[in-house]
Amino acid sequence: MGDMSQIVQLLFSGLTIGSIYALIAIGFVIIYNITGVLNFAQGEFAMFGALICISLVGTGMPYLLAILLSIVAVVMIAAMFERVAIYPARHSSVPTLIIITIGVSIALRGIALFIWGTDPYHLIPLTAGDAFNLGGAIIQPQSLWAIGISVISLVCMYIFFEKTFIGKVVIACVVNRFAARLMGIRPEKMSLISVSVSGGLGALAGIIIAPISGATYNMGLMLGIKAFIAAVIGGLSNAPAAILGAMIIGLLEAFTEGLWTTGFKDAVSFGILLLVLFLLPNGILAKSSGKRV
């Protein structure tokens, strides 16, 4: 019974962190499919979302309003990043654009360090209440919030891309940028939308994880790397597969940390990445041709 309770505990832990990775990984997939760029500043969107929300809640602002304003603020930061850094260099080579995103990532961490310093911050849980017992495992309410909000967000993303006009326009740019331009669609405008949406998803991920593991100026670095690994494992052209990749990484980390040792959880993630790149370079579920968000 003890072994079963431990498995349930690790399962919930893995699904919780996997949900966080999934939100950030979706941002990678959206931006990559629209612009062809791997945005390594994606993790910093999560960091800013968490720290801005913590600061707003600290002023006595209502929790929900603080969350909404934090997401809006990060969406604006992401839009500014796209207009100032990505758009002017849109005709540059892909390696140049990737280097630009790495530079922006470093700059954003520097700004956060200047504003918030090196001290860790903690966000109060979304709901007060004690942990409860499930199958012998102790489950924190915040874990359920993390999983639930992530699922709702991903469903909203599906509705956005499949049921709305703007979503269809974005998909048109993904499938064939040249044909979309002939139909009067401006891929440059879609680039702004995609980066802004990715910024909002990243901010939401940071807000969700802040009550669980806290927030620091450099938290976005590892979150971004793990989400990137998840996106590559699933396939950078396939959002549902990227979500699956995020869950795989989350569960692997949880079970490695719980059954083995904390020191090897990062090594396992990178090992899985290398294995997938060697055996399935397009991702575990990505199609060999065509793109799809």
Side-chain angles (χ1 to χ4, degrees):
M1 186 65 183
D3 291 339
M4 181 57 67
S5 64
Q6 184 181 19
I7 290 174
V8 174
Q9 187 83 58
L10 295 175
L11 181 63
F12 266 90
S13 297
L15 290 176
T16 300
I17 192 64
S19 298
I20 306 301
Y21 293 159
L23 288 174
I24 303 175
I26 289 296
F28 271 105
V29 172
I30 293 173
I31 294 178
Y32 175 76
N33 279 277
I34 299 297
T35 67
V37 177
L38 294 171
N39 177 28
F40 286 101
Q42 188 67 25
E44 271 53 58
F45 295 155
M47 175 267 293
F48 267 99
L51 291 176
I52 291 174
C53 186
I54 290 171
S55 297
L56 292 178
V57 170
T59 64
M61 182 179 293
Y63 207 142
L64 181 58
L65 180 59
I67 291 174
L68 294 176
L69 289 180
S70 301
I71 294 174
V72 170
V74 177
V75 166
M76 294 175 63
I77 292 172
M80 186 181 302
F81 155 67
E82 196 278 338
R83 289 290 97 173
V84 173
I86 299 298
Y87 182 78
R90 62 191 180 280
H91 299 304
S92 302
S93 64
V94 171
T96 299
L97 290 169
I98 292 176
I99 291 172
I100 289 174
T101 68
I102 294 174
V104 170
S105 172
I106 296 171
L108 291 176
R109 282 200 299 276
I111 293 172
L113 175 62
F114 177 77
I115 297 174
W116 287 282
T118 59
D119 295 333
Y121 293 86
H122 291 276
L123 186 62
I124 59 175
L126 289 171
T127 53
D130 297 329
F132 59 92
N133 189 297
L134 179 64
I138 305 302
I139 308 300
Q140 298 291 337
Q142 187 65 28
S143 295
L144 297 181
W145 273 109
I147 296 171
I149 291 176
S150 297
V151 170
I152 292 172
S153 300
L154 297 174
V155 170
C156 290
M157 291 302 298
Y158 171 81
I159 295 173
F160 172 74
F161 283 114
E162 297 294 336
K163 306 298 181 182
T164 68
F165 175 75
I166 295 179
K168 293 291 187 181
V169 170
V170 171
I171 290 177
C173 293
V174 170
V175 174
N176 192 318
R177 289 172 63 90
F178 180 71
R181 196 182 293 274
L182 290 179
M183 296 299 293
I185 299 171
R186 295 178 55 195
E188 295 82 5
K189 184 178 181 181
M190 294 304 104
S191 172
L192 176 62
I193 293 175
S194 68
V195 175
S196 300
V197 170
S198 299
L201 287 173
L204 184 59
I207 293 169
I208 292 172
I209 200 173
I212 299 173
S213 61
T216 61
Y217 80 96
N218 61 353
M219 65 180 284
L221 177 61
M222 192 54 68
L223 283 175
I225 291 175
K226 295 297 179 63
F228 169 69
I229 293 174
V232 171
I233 288 175
L236 281 166
S237 61
N238 190 323
I243 296 169
L244 176 61
M247 294 303 173
I248 290 173
I249 292 298
L251 290 171
L252 280 174
E253 286 193 356
F255 278 90
T256 300
E257 186 175 10
L259 301 179
W260 197 3
T261 176
T262 303
F264 285 109
K265 71 174 186 177
D266 293 338
V268 169
S269 298
F270 285 104
I272 295 296
L273 172 64
L274 293 175
L275 188 63
V276 170
L277 289 176
F278 281 127
L279 301 179
L280 298 165
N282 289 322
I284 55 178
L285 292 178
K287 297 179 180 179
S288 60
S289 62
K291 292 182 178 180
R292 183 67 168 168
V293 171

